[in-house]
Amino acid sequence: MANSLYDFGMIGLGVMGRNLLLNMADHGFSVIGFDKDASKTAALESAATAGTNVKGVAELATMVQMLERPRKLMMLVPAGQPVDDVIASLLPLLEQGDVVIDGGNSHYTDTLRRVKYLREKGIHFMGIGVSGGEKGARTGPSIMPGGDLEAYAKVRPMLEAIAAKVKDTPCVAYLGKEGAGHYVKMVHNGIEYAIMQLISECYEMLQQGAGLNNDQLHEVFKSWNDGVLQSFLVEITADIFLKNDDKTSQRLVDVISDKAGSKGTGKWTSQDSMELPVAVPVIDTAVAMRTLSGFKEQRTQAAQLYAEPENKIHATADMWIKQVHDALYFATILSYAQGLAMLHEASRELQMEIPLPEVVKVWRGGCIIRSSLLEVFTQAYQQNTNLPNILLDKGVAYLVKSVEANTRSVVAQAAQAGIPVAGLMSALSYFDAFRTERMPTNLIQAQRDYFGAHTYQRIDMPGTFHTEWQ
Ligand code: 6PG
C-alpha cells in the first residue's frame, strides 16, 4: 500500500456499510472497514474493484489507528443502542477534531443527544441520512447530511464523489443543523411509506377493478414509468410482477404473505408530525395499513362475516387504468406535499434551518422516492424558497387540478366496489380540507366550549370567549 493511512473508515460492514465503502474506494479514496465478523471483512476485500485501496479489519482500535487525522469515519449499524455502544467504544480511541458520522436510520432526537455529548469532548458528530438500498450505496445514493458545518466541510468532497448525480449535480447537500440530516431522512421514509401504500392500492384496483393479470400489471406500470409517474418505486413495481417463484410455478408476488413489515421510520414521521404539529394523513394512513395488515386472523374472520359489495367498477378497463393512473399521480403529489410541509414546519419549530430547495434536489436521484416530480418541486422552490406547502405553487396546482376529476371518480368507484383505498381517500380529503377557507371545525370549538369551557375565538371580533350553553 502506497499510503499507510486511510482516508475513511467504516464501522459495520453489512450490506450498506460495505457498499458505501466500496463506492468511496471506486472514487479514489483509500478506505478501511471494521466488523467483528471476519466473513464480512473478507467479503469487503473480495468485492473491491481491482486497483482500489480497501482493507477490512476485525479490531476497532486497529482501524482507528490507521486513519488519516483528523479521522473521518462512519458507522452503519442498527439504530438505537448499537449506535451508543459504538460511540462508547470509539471515544477512548478518538482525538479532538475527528469526525464521526452515523449513516443509519437513527431517530433525530438520539442524534441531537449524541451531537451534544460528543461536542463536549471535541468530537464532531454528524447524523447523515443515506437512501438507495444496496445498489444505490454502491453506485450512487442520495445523501442527507446535517449537523456541524465545519465537519461537513471535511467530508463534503467524499460525499459529493459517491453520491448519485443528476445533471452533474451530486445528490448531497448540507440540509441543516444538528439532527436535520436524520430528520430529513425520517420524512423521506414517511413519504416512501405513503407512496408504497398508494401503489399497493392501485395494484388492488387494477386487479379487482379491471381484472389485470401480472403480465398486464407489468405492462401498465412499465408504461406509467415512461410518463409523468416516472419514479423508482413505479419502476421496481413493474419488475416485481414478472418475477417467477423458484419454489412453485407461480409469480413470486402471489405467494408473498400480505403482512407488511416495518422498522419504524414511517411511524416516527407520524409521531413527530403530531408533536409539531403538522398534518400528514397519507403517511399516517400508510403506517396504519401496514399495522392492519398484521391482523391477519381477525381479517380472515371478518372476511367470512362481511360480504363484498355487489357493485363493480363501471368504467371500461382502459378508462379505469387511465383514471387510476391519474389518482396515483394526484395522491403522490399530496404525499410529497405533506412530507415537505412537515419539513417546513420542523425547520422553523426545531430551529434546524432545513433548506427545502436543497432537499428536493438531493431527492432527485439515488433515493427510494426519486421521481420526475422532484424536478417540478425544484422549480416550485426556485419560485419561492420559503414555500410552506407545494400545493400553493401555481405549477403544482395546475398538475393537481388536471387529475382531480379522475381522482374523485376513482375514490367514488372504489368506495362503491368495496376496494380499500385509504391512502387515496386520505389524500383527497386532505386536499379538500386544505383548499377550504372555512372548515367545519367551528362546531368542534363550540362543543369544546359547551362541555369543557375551553373557550373559542369569533370571526367578527378579537378576543377569547366562553358561553354558558345550557
Ligand atoms: C432507503 C430506505 C431504507 C429502508 C428503510 C425503511 O431510503 O434506502 O428508506 O432506509 O427501506 O429502513 O424500511 P421499513 O419499510 O422496513 O421501515
Side-chain angles (χ1 to χ4, degrees), residues 16 105 130-133 144 185 188-189 192-193 196 261-266 290 367-368:
M16 291 298 284
N105 280 331
V130 181
S131 178
M144 295 155 243
K185 178 64 194 329
H188 165 285
N189 283 24
E192 173 185 305
Y193 273 52
M196 289 167 77
S262 64
K263 294 199 195 72
T265 45
R290 286 201 198 185
C367 67
I368 305 297

Side-chain angles (χ1 to χ4, degrees), residues 176-392:
K177 289 155 68 177
E178 313 263 306
H182 279 147
Y183 200 95
V184 172
K185 178 64 194 329
M186 174 183 80
V187 174
H188 165 285
N189 283 24
I191 298 171
E192 173 185 305
Y193 273 52
I195 299 174
M196 289 167 77
Q197 170 63 26
L198 295 168
I199 292 176
S200 75
E201 291 173 8
C202 293
Y203 161 53
E204 180 88 325
M205 287 192 287
L206 294 174
Q207 268 189 323
Q208 282 199 33
L212 300 193
N213 63 27
N214 285 316
D215 287 332
Q216 293 164 322
L217 285 164
H218 163 78
E219 287 304 328
V220 167
F221 277 90
K222 190 166 166 288
S223 71
W224 288 1
N225 193 48
D226 291 334
V228 292
L229 278 173
Q230 190 283 319
S231 62
F232 173 73
L233 285 168
V234 168
E235 182 189 335
I236 64 162
T237 303
D239 282 359
I240 285 170
F241 293 119
L242 289 189
K243 185 77 179 167
N244 289 319
D245 177 30
D246 58 11
K247 296 178 181 61
T248 64
S249 55
Q250 287 174 272
R251 291 287 159 87
L252 184 55
V253 68
D254 292 332
V255 294
I256 292 180
S257 157
D258 61 359
K259 287 188 192 173
S262 64
K263 294 199 195 72
T265 45
K267 180 182 76 180
W268 292 349
T269 313
S270 279
Q271 286 173 328
D272 240 84
S273 74
M274 294 184 193
E275 288 299 326
L276 276 171
V278 62
V280 294
V282 187
I283 297 172
D284 302 339
T285 302
V287 175
M289 288 299 119
R290 286 201 198 185
T291 304
L292 186 57
S293 79
F295 287 72
K296 180 81 172 173
E297 265 180 41
Q298 291 179 33
R299 288 191 289 112
T300 307
Q301 281 176 36
Q304 308 300 318
L305 200 56
Y306 298 98
E308 284 200 2
E310 295 194 344
N311 292 320
K312 296 279 168 263
I313 301 302
H314 51 72
T316 61
D318 283 349
M319 220 167 102
W320 184 238
I321 293 168
K322 165 70 179 137
Q323 289 180 340
V324 172
H325 166 279
D326 286 0
L328 179 58
Y329 191 57
F330 176 96
T332 302
I333 294 176
L334 266 290
S335 304
Y336 285 110
Q338 292 176 10
L340 290 166
M342 178 167 172
L343 288 180
H344 178 84
E345 287 304 310
S347 175
R348 213 169 34 90
E349 274 298 308
L350 306 171
Q351 287 99 43
M352 285 189 290
E353 294 172 22
I354 299 172
L356 287 226
E358 295 299 321
V359 171
V360 288
K361 275 200 230 157
V362 163
W363 286 352
R364 285 183 306 176
C367 67
I368 305 297
I369 62 168
R370 63 185 185 260
S371 80
S372 56
L373 272 171
L374 268 316
E375 287 295 346
V376 175
F377 305 149
T378 300
Q379 281 167 25
Y381 285 113
Q382 268 162 12
Q383 302 287 322
N384 177 0
T385 50
N386 202 27
L387 195 59
N389 190 313
I390 52 164
L391 292 177
L392 298 175

